[in-house]
Amino acid sequence: MEPKYGQVFDGTSFESVLSPPKLPHKKHDPIVLDNTNTNTNNSPPQQLELQVQLQTLSRILLPSLGSSLLAYLLFPPLALQLSYLINDSATFAVLSVDSSQFIQNFLTVTGLTFSILVGQTYYFMYQQQEAVFVSLFGEVTEAKSLLEQVALVCQGRRDMYEMCLGAMKEYVEEDLKRGLGKDPALSLSGRPMDDPLEVIMYLTSVGIPSSIYDTVRSLRQARATRLAALQKKLPPVHLLLLWLLALIELSSFPILGAGTQTIGGYNILTIEGVLFGIMTFGIVLTLNVVGELYVGSGGAYNVDSVLRVMVKGLDEELEVRMRDVAGVDDDGDNRGETLILGGKSLGAVEQSEMERRKRMIMPSPSYYPMRYSSILGGEDSTEANNI
C-alpha cells in the first residue's frame, strides 16, 4: 500500500520520527569530573606565559646580579690581601707586567676549556628539548585519535564508555601533563595493570585485541619517545664541575690585581673590580641558562607552556564527553530528560546534531518527497510537495 503524505512505510508519522517523545532520563551514578590540572591558576594564556617568563628571568638574573655585585665588592680587598701575603717586589714586578706570560697562558687554557664544555653542554641540552617538543606533538595527536576511536567503539555502552573516558582523563592529567616533572624511568617502571591505556585495551577487547589496538600501541610508542627525551643524560655532578671550572677561571684575576696595585694603587683595583663583576655576571648568567635547560620543566626554556596549549582541545573534548555521559549540563546540573531513538538514549551532542540536521535544507525534494510537511504552512508547503 502506498503511504500517505507525512507517513513513512511502516505507518509512523515522519514528524514523530524527527521529534521522538521525551522520556525520563535513567539515573546513573554521576561521573566525578576532575577539573584540576597542572596549573591551578585560571589566568589567560598570555598572562600565564608572561608570568612564567618573569619567573625564569628572575631565577637567572637575580643570582647573576648578586654574584656580580659580590665580585665587585670583594675584588679590591681580596687583591690587597694577596699582595700582603706575597710582599715581594720582584714578584710584584713580574705580576704587574706578566713578563713570563704564565698568567696569560693560564687564563687561555681555563677559558678555552670552560667555553668548550659549556658550549657543548648547552647544545646537547637544546637538542634534548627539541626532541621533547617533537615527541609531545606526536603523542597529543595519537591521544586525540584514541579518544575518537573510544567514542566509536563504546557507542551505546554507557558504563564502558564512562570507564574508558575516566581512564583517558587519568592518562592526560597524570601522565601527559604531570609527567614532565616526574622521573621518566620511574614512570615507565610501573605495572602494566596500573596503566590507564591498559584499562582501555581491556575494556574494549573481547578475547582478541580490539580495533583500537594499533592506536594504543602508537600512543605508547609516542609516550616512550617522550620519556626517553625527558630522561637526563648528564649527571648532576656535570653541572658541579662546570661551576668549579668557572671558579678556577675567575680565581686568576685577583692574583693579577695584586700585581697591578703596585702601579696604580687602590684606584686601579676599583676599575678592575668593575670589570671583574661584569665578567662574573656573564659567567653566572650562562651557567644559570644551562641549569634551566637541565631541569626539563617549569621554565620558559621548557615545553610546559606549549604543552598547555596543545592539550587544551583534548581537555575540552574530554570534559564535554564526560558531562554528556554523566547527564550533566554546562552549569553542572543533571539533565532531567533525554531523547530516545531506536531504543538508544541520545546525549546532548547527539541531540544538538539531530536538531541541526532537522533544520538543514535537503538537496532536492524529488529524492525526499516527505521532507515538507504541513507544519511549514501555507502555499509554500503545497507547492513544494507538488514538485
Side-chain angles (χ1 to χ4, degrees):
M1 181 180 63
E2 182 180 357
K4 297 180 180 179
Y5 168 76
Q7 292 184 346
V8 293
F9 287 94
D10 60 355
T12 306
S13 174
F14 185 75
E15 180 180 354
S16 64
V17 174
L18 288 179
S19 301
K22 296 183 178 180
L23 298 179
H25 178 67
K26 183 180 178 181
K27 298 295 182 180
H28 293 277
D29 295 333
I31 296 178
V32 178
L33 298 178
D34 185 12
N35 293 325
T36 59
N37 49 38
T38 54
N39 178 36
T40 57
N41 193 347
N42 295 324
S43 303
Q46 295 81 3
Q47 182 179 354
L48 185 60
E49 185 176 357
L50 179 60
Q51 181 180 355
V52 174
Q53 297 278 350
L54 292 177
Q55 290 177 354
T56 304
L57 196 62
S58 64
R59 288 197 301 266
I60 295 176
L61 284 182
L62 291 182
S64 303
L65 291 174
S67 302
S68 176
L69 181 61
L70 186 63
Y72 166 72
L73 296 176
L74 291 180
F75 182 81
L78 186 58
L80 289 177
Q81 187 65 30
L82 288 175
S83 66
Y84 296 151
L85 293 177
I86 297 173
N87 196 18
D88 183 26
S89 59
T91 305
F92 287 149
V94 174
L95 291 177
S96 60
V97 296
D98 192 18
S99 57
S100 65
Q101 295 187 347
F102 179 80
I103 303 297
Q104 180 180 353
N105 294 334
F106 175 80
L107 285 174
T108 301
V109 173
T110 55
L112 181 61
T113 305
F114 178 77
S115 61
I116 290 176
L117 288 180
V118 173
Q120 291 295 325
T121 303
Y122 178 85
Y123 177 71
F124 176 77
M125 290 184 177
Y126 188 84
Q127 282 189 322
Q128 182 175 350
Q129 287 294 323
E130 183 181 1
V132 174
F133 276 91
V134 174
S135 61
L136 278 176
F137 272 96
E139 186 174 2
V140 173
T141 303
E142 292 294 340
K144 290 182 178 180
S145 300
L146 179 61
L147 179 59
E148 295 173 355
Q149 293 191 13
V150 164
L152 293 176
V153 171
C154 300
Q155 184 74 25
R157 290 172 282 187
R158 182 185 181 279
D159 294 336
M160 186 177 71
Y161 191 26
E162 180 180 345
M163 296 179 66
C164 287
L165 289 178
M168 195 71 189
K169 184 72 173 179
E170 180 183 357
Y171 162 75
V172 173
E173 294 293 337
E174 300 296 332
D175 196 341
L176 188 57
K177 291 183 179 179
R178 297 190 178 98
L180 296 179
K182 297 180 180 179
D183 185 8
L186 186 62
S187 301
L188 198 60
S189 65
R191 298 180 301 175
M193 62 181 300
D194 297 331
D195 186 5
L197 300 179
E198 185 70 19
V199 174
I200 297 177
M201 280 293 301
Y202 177 79
L203 292 174
T204 57
S205 302
V206 180
I208 58 176
S210 64
S211 57
I212 67 174
Y213 171 77
D214 292 335
T215 305
V216 173
R217 182 179 62 179
S218 299
L219 182 56
R220 282 177 167 174
Q221 291 175 349
R223 180 177 62 180
T225 304
R226 186 245 306 172
L227 293 177
L230 287 173
Q231 181 64 42
K232 292 181 174 59
K233 281 75 174 179
L234 297 176
V237 70
H238 181 82
L239 296 183
L240 180 61
L241 294 177
L242 290 180
W243 282 100
L244 181 60
L245 191 58
L247 182 61
I248 293 174
E249 182 179 3
L250 292 175
S251 64
S252 61
F253 290 92
I255 300 177
L256 289 175
T260 56
Q261 61 87 24
T262 60
I263 302 176
Y266 189 83
N267 292 331
I268 193 64
L269 292 181
T270 304
I271 298 175
E272 289 178 348
V274 174
L275 299 177
F276 183 70
I278 295 175
M279 183 174 55
T280 303
F281 173 80
I283 291 178
V284 175
L285 179 70
T286 303
L287 291 178
N288 283 335
V289 171
V290 174
E292 286 291 323
L293 288 172
Y294 182 79
V295 172
S297 63
Y301 286 91
N302 309 123
V303 75
D304 300 70
S305 58
V306 179
L307 178 62
R308 192 180 301 111
V309 176
M310 282 195 294
V311 300
K312 182 179 179 182
L314 185 60
D315 278 336
E316 293 177 354
E317 183 73 12
L318 271 172
E319 290 294 335
V320 170
R321 292 184 182 275
M322 293 179 73
R323 290 182 183 276
D324 182 45
V325 74
V328 179
D329 56 19
D330 294 336
D331 297 330
D333 300 327
N334 289 332
R335 293 192 297 265
E337 55 187 17
T338 185
L339 295 179
I340 307 296
L341 183 62
K344 296 181 180 180
S345 61
L346 300 181
V349 178
E350 289 82 359
Q351 292 182 33
S352 61
E353 178 67 16
M354 182 175 178
E355 292 297 330
R356 186 185 68 83
R357 293 185 180 184
K358 286 171 60 177
R359 294 191 296 267
M360 289 175 59
I361 300 177
M362 295 299 180
S364 173
S366 61
Y367 297 101
Y368 303 96
M370 293 173 290
R371 166 64 178 170
Y372 306 96
S373 62
S374 59
I375 60 175
L376 297 177
E379 301 178 355
D380 294 337
S381 175
T382 306
E383 182 180 356
N385 286 285
N386 290 332
I387 296 178

